[in-house]
Amino acid sequence: MHTLNSVAVAVTLGLACNFPQPTIAADNADIEQLQRKIDELTQELEDLDSRLNQTERHTALDRIHFSGDFRTRAHSLHYRDVTWSPGIKVNFDDFVHRAMNGEYGNPMDETSPLGRLMAANPDLANAFMNGQLAGVMPWVLGNRQTYDINNDLFYTTRLRLDLNARVWDNVSFAGRLSMYKNWGDSTGVQVFDSWRSFSMDGTNSGNTSGDWLRVERAYFDWKNIGGSEFYLSIGRRPSTYGPPSHLRENEKRGGTPSGHLVNFNFDGATLGYKLGELTGIEGQVVRFCYGQGFESQWGNGELFGNLITKDTHLGGFNIDVINDGNHFVQLTLFGAKDINDGFKGTMAFPNELAAIFAPTLYQDMQKFDNFNFVTRVQPSGVIGDMYLGGLGYLYESDEDIKAFASLGWTHAKPNGNAGMFGGLLTDAVFTGQLSADGSELMMVPMAADGQQARDGYGVYIGMQIPAPMGKFGLEYNYGSKYWSPFTQAQDDPIGSKLATRGHVVEAYYLFDINPRMFIKLAGLYYDYQYTGSGTPVGAPVKVDDVIKGTAYSLLPVVDTALDINASFTVNF
């Protein structure tokens, strides 16, 4: 602006110099003509300055392109035969041996650690005195309760801001900031009543966590490296809403890996090669993916010397075998080494578990029965390795008819270690241990109840067809007893439907308001066959056995559930 003003002054002076000096007798008409020319030139220069400033601002802002979507959704959630039947497996041979050696104190002395335990558990005391405790047996920790739960209205809002920038001819950046909250709640912490409610790095984008933006994705792509067909991408990965799960979201492919196997945020890198340029098969791409799912040292008290976990590393291949616009075939195979019995995260500790495992603390908690203490948690140890594989096919016709089928496989190799909730698809076996000051007898996990490898499988099929005013979709998925995919970031409030050990049926209707707005009406019915859906920690048992009281679970289990929902989505 200063430059253009200077030019205006110089031009004005120049024009003035080209005119003869006025005299008393000068014609007033000539002076008025000069003034009009000066005013016209000044206006032209101001218009030019305005256009140049707009262009500069536009060029600067275009370095980053913003887009996104806003979704608000109303759910009606209904759970049937929710059962809490707490119990653990105890190595009573070890427990009785220690007790008989006096390690826990005199059982007849009600002030001793063992005496207080027996006084609080008369059935245990009677079996102990009669010599009925032997081998590994279940110890029932509470009365079985079965009930229904109805949450008639549960509202959520999701905001996602996408950032894209062209760094250079063959380098680009992409990111996504996301907010996901339920109405009237921004605490960001839920009571730990299921593994779905555990907030951690890999699942925050799919868990209602409050009214703040989180970095869901942030990575760069470096394409055609050295003029080749190789590309490299590093950062927080696009590992959610992969095919074919993007169809129910009414979106384009949102993530690289199969959504049947992976819907989980992690940090890592991808080295890819456009193999189709060699084979002639359209869209054929081979990718090697690496990532870290857990950092065991930094922030975990390493300097105190009490570190017993390891970093969890992920690696494998994701191959688009065919991708020609009508046919899409994807092959996925990867492994997770050194899986721990949980992740770093935060939760509100349930008072019910405090009553069982922390009686001293529970005495104070009863004074504030509407309080839960929030705690940062971390795993207690490495429990084994996991391998996953899958093959998926998606067909899209030119008439917008879509159909898909996906088969997934999981393979768990437990190492015999276990934490409070178990080992890798195995149960924990507990024994007694005195507290550090010797005043309290606690039950602590000593090992897993086995090291047998476990295989699980999942099936996912569906279709989407044009319908009046929009589209209609129908999907079905099934997971076996040991099915353990990494889909915990899926934002289904009841729990990731694709992680279900049992059956899920979903039907939905998409009403297109305009090309950037739509309404979705949907219903999901869950029929759980085995416990522990969504986590590889702990041995799955039949839900029917928990309801009957012949099997136990430290967390409540659900028999069937129904989610009826309606949502409004705007893309911008």
Side-chain angles (χ1 to χ4, degrees):
M1 184 67 179
H2 294 300
T3 301
L4 291 176
N5 287 337
S6 300
V7 172
V9 172
V11 172
T12 302
L13 290 174
L15 288 173
C17 292
N18 290 332
F19 283 86
Q21 295 297 318
T23 65
I24 296 175
D27 188 354
N28 289 335
D30 292 337
I31 295 176
E32 292 176 359
Q33 183 179 8
L34 171 62
Q35 185 62 48
R36 284 196 301 271
K37 290 183 177 181
I38 293 173
D39 291 343
E40 291 173 359
L41 180 60
T42 301
Q43 183 62 46
E44 290 178 3
L45 289 172
E46 288 179 352
D47 291 342
L48 178 61
D49 175 69
S50 177
R51 289 196 298 269
L52 287 174
N53 281 342
Q54 290 178 4
T55 300
E56 289 175 358
R57 287 195 300 268
H58 188 64
T59 301
L61 292 176
D62 270 359
R63 292 183 61 188
I64 299 179
H65 176 71
F66 287 89
S67 61
D69 62 82
F70 175 87
R71 185 191 75 190
T72 185
R73 176 171 285 173
H75 297 265
S76 184
L77 307 176
H78 305 274
Y79 304 79
R80 293 292 174 263
D81 291 331
V82 180
T83 302
W84 190 47
S85 182
I88 57 175
K89 292 181 178 179
V90 178
N91 186 334
F92 281 110
D93 286 343
D94 182 80
F95 179 84
V96 171
H97 175 75
R98 294 187 181 194
M100 297 302 292
N101 286 340
E103 184 175 332
Y104 306 142
N106 186 351
M108 306 305 296
D109 180 2
E110 293 188 357
T111 64
S112 72
L114 181 58
R116 289 200 300 272
L117 180 69
M118 295 299 180
N121 297 274
D123 292 339
L124 179 69
N126 183 62
F128 177 79
M129 293 301 179
N130 292 321
Q132 298 174 346
L133 302 179
V136 176
M137 296 173 56
W139 180 18
V140 180
L141 299 173
N143 295 324
R144 184 174 76 258
Q145 304 174 55
T146 299
Y147 39 85
D148 295 337
I149 297 175
N150 295 297
N151 188 343
D152 295 326
L153 279 178
F154 175 69
Y155 296 105
T156 63
T157 294
R158 186 187 72 183
L159 170 66
R160 300 188 302 189
L161 297 177
D162 293 303
L163 296 79
N164 293 277
R166 182 181 178 185
V167 180
W168 203 247
D169 292 341
N170 63 338
V171 180
S172 60
F173 168 82
R176 175 186 284 174
L177 308 179
S178 65
M179 180 207 75
Y180 185 41
K181 72 182 299 293
N182 53 293
W183 289 15
D185 179 16
S186 283
T187 60
V189 181
Q190 302 178 42
V191 173
F192 184 51
D193 55 7
S194 69
W195 287 99
R196 181 211 56 77
S197 62
F198 186 69
S199 179
M200 56 187 176
D201 180 65
T203 64
N204 282 335
S205 65
N207 245 333
T208 52
S209 54
D211 57 353
W212 57 85
L213 289 172
R214 296 181 180 273
V215 179
E216 180 184 345
R217 300 176 179 181
Y219 59 95
F220 75 85
D221 284 328
W222 180 16
K223 301 177 181 178
N224 302 120
I225 301 174
S228 71
E229 298 300 328
F230 281 101
Y231 73 90
L232 176 68
S233 180
I234 299 177
R236 191 154 173 81
R237 309 306 303 152
S239 52
T240 54
Y241 304 103
S245 66
H246 65 292
L247 294 182
R248 64 191 292 255
E249 302 293 329
N250 198 28
E251 297 176 347
K252 295 180 180 180
R253 178 180 181 178
T256 297
S258 163
H260 189 196
L261 288 171
V262 179
N263 195 317
F264 196 89
N265 300 115
F266 69 94
D267 306 289
T270 295
L271 178 63
Y273 187 82
K274 296 180 180 179
L275 192 61
E277 299 298 325
L278 293 178
T279 63
I281 300 177
E282 186 173 353
Q284 191 170 76
V285 180
V286 176
R287 306 174 186 85
F288 173 75
C289 303
Y290 162 79
Q292 182 170 341
F294 177 75
E295 166 56 45
S296 66
Q297 295 173 282
W298 185 263
N300 276 6
E302 179 182 13
L303 299 184
F304 288 108
N306 57 6
L307 192 70
I308 53 177
T309 57
K310 292 183 180 180
D311 293 351
T312 300
H313 294 281
L314 316 171
F317 291 91
N318 192 84
I319 303 172
D320 291 353
V321 181
I322 301 173
N323 189 6
D324 62 8
N326 294 120
H327 304 276
F328 175 70
V329 178
Q330 183 182 52
L331 176 64
T332 301
L333 183 65
F334 72 98
K337 302 291 291 185
D338 295 325
I339 292 178
N340 298 274
D341 64 325
F343 294 85
K344 285 185 284 189
T346 54
M347 69 178 182
F349 197 79
N351 293 349
E352 289 79 3
L353 292 183
I356 295 173
F357 292 101
T360 302
L361 177 64
Y362 185 60
Q363 291 179 7
D364 289 331
M365 294 172 67
Q366 292 180 78
K367 301 172 185 176
F368 308 96
D369 58 359
N370 60 330
F371 284 22
N372 291 94
F373 70 86
V374 176
T375 181
R376 175 195 182 277
V377 295
Q378 64 188 54
S380 63
V382 179
I383 56 175
D385 302 327
M386 178 78 75
Y387 300 92
L388 298 90
L391 178 64
Y393 172 70
L394 170 63
Y395 171 73
E396 298 184 64
S397 76
D398 296 334
E399 292 76 29
D400 206 28
I401 296 174
K402 304 177 180 70
F404 66 84
S406 178
L407 178 64
W409 162 79
T410 62
H411 178 76
K413 296 183 65 176
N415 61 9
N417 295 331
M420 175 179 174
F421 290 95
L424 188 61
L425 296 178
T426 56
D427 275 334
V429 177
F430 289 73
T431 191
Q433 178 179 299
L434 293 178
S435 60
D437 63 0
S439 63
E440 185 177 342
L441 177 56
M442 307 178 299
M443 302 305 293
V444 298
M446 58 184 299
D449 63 354
Q451 291 183 244
Q452 182 179 349
R454 301 293 189 183
D455 290 292
Y457 71 90
V459 177
Y460 182 27
I461 59 175
M463 62 86 178
Q464 186 183 94
I465 59 174
M469 301 177 62
K471 309 165 190 171
F472 172 74
L474 185 64
E475 297 186 359
Y476 166 79
N477 62 274
Y478 171 79
S480 69
K481 180 177 182 179
Y482 296 106
W483 171 240
S484 301
F486 291 178
T487 60
Q488 293 87 343
Q490 200 168 32
D491 64 5
D492 302 319
I494 289 177
S496 166
K497 76 165 193 172
L498 294 179
T500 299
R501 292 170 180 157
H503 308 270
V504 181
V505 177
E506 177 180 12
Y508 61 85
Y509 205 112
L510 299 166
F511 293 93
D512 295 323
I513 300 175
N514 60 51
R516 304 196 66 80
M517 297 171 61
F518 66 91
I519 293 173
K520 179 181 178 181
L521 303 179
L524 294 88
Y525 178 75
Y526 296 71
D527 182 6
Y528 292 97
Q529 303 293 302
Y530 296 92
T531 62
S533 295
T535 176
V537 180
V541 296
K542 286 186 176 181
V543 171
D544 288 344
D545 290 343
V546 177
I547 295 174
K548 290 185 296 185
T550 58
Y552 309 95
S553 174
L554 288 178
L555 294 174
V557 301
V558 179
D559 185 18
T560 62
L562 178 64
D563 175 5
I564 301 173
N565 62 79
S567 59
F568 191 102
T569 302
V570 178
N571 296 290
F572 55 87

